[in-house]
Amino acid sequence: MPLHQYIQALTHLPAHMYSYIKYLKEVNGMSNGQLQMLQTPTPEEGFDLAIRLAQKGVEVTQPSEEIRQMLRPVYSRNVDSLIATSQVIAIHFQTIAAANNYWRAWTPHYG
């Protein structure tokens, strides 16, 4: 799945989340402004991408580094916050895994 299709799926989010595209470009090192694919060579690299996407989501939600640093001691010890963080990463990884056909070799669909 191309990254721009993933972004289009996010269009139901509030207006402030549209800057998420900018951060996704940064995550993928897109200096030329083109959207890259969600495809990665390995599941490990896919998981790393999922983590970076989640981190960038936090930066979009709270752009102030100072405030994020102030809040970190609170949420880093809160089990509900940690579970929610894991869920966000898992959702991103699920999308990336599907975009990569779960890293299986391609086989034709007979149906």
Side-chain angles (χ1 to χ4, degrees):
M1 166 188 277
L3 191 55
H4 72 279
Q5 287 179 345
Y6 184 57
I7 299 301
Q8 288 173 350
L10 298 176
T11 57
H12 66 282
L13 296 174
H16 73 279
M17 293 300 287
Y18 288 107
S19 62
Y20 201 54
I21 293 172
K22 174 184 167 192
Y23 289 102
L24 290 175
K25 289 179 181 180
E26 290 175 12
V27 165
N28 285 310
M30 295 179 242
S31 59
N32 62 2
Q34 292 182 332
L35 293 174
Q36 292 183 356
M37 304 292 275
L38 289 172
Q39 294 176 339
T40 60
T42 66
E44 292 79 14
E45 291 178 55
F47 189 72
D48 290 342
L49 176 58
I51 292 170
R52 289 194 311 263
L53 290 172
Q55 290 169 334
K56 289 300 178 179
V58 170
E59 288 179 23
V60 169
T61 305
Q62 179 46 261
S64 170
E65 175 70 25
E66 182 180 337
I67 292 174
R68 287 194 312 268
Q69 286 181 355
M70 181 181 67
L71 294 174
R72 183 166 176 79
V74 176
Y75 70 75
S76 68
R77 292 182 176 92
N78 180 305
V79 69
D80 292 330
S81 295
L82 296 172
I83 290 171
T85 300
S86 296
Q87 289 172 333
V88 170
I89 293 169
I91 291 167
H92 284 305
F93 185 63
Q94 179 181 15
T95 303
I96 293 165
N100 286 281
N101 194 30
Y102 305 94
W103 294 276
R104 292 186 291 231
W106 181 85
T107 56
H109 182 315
Y110 299 104

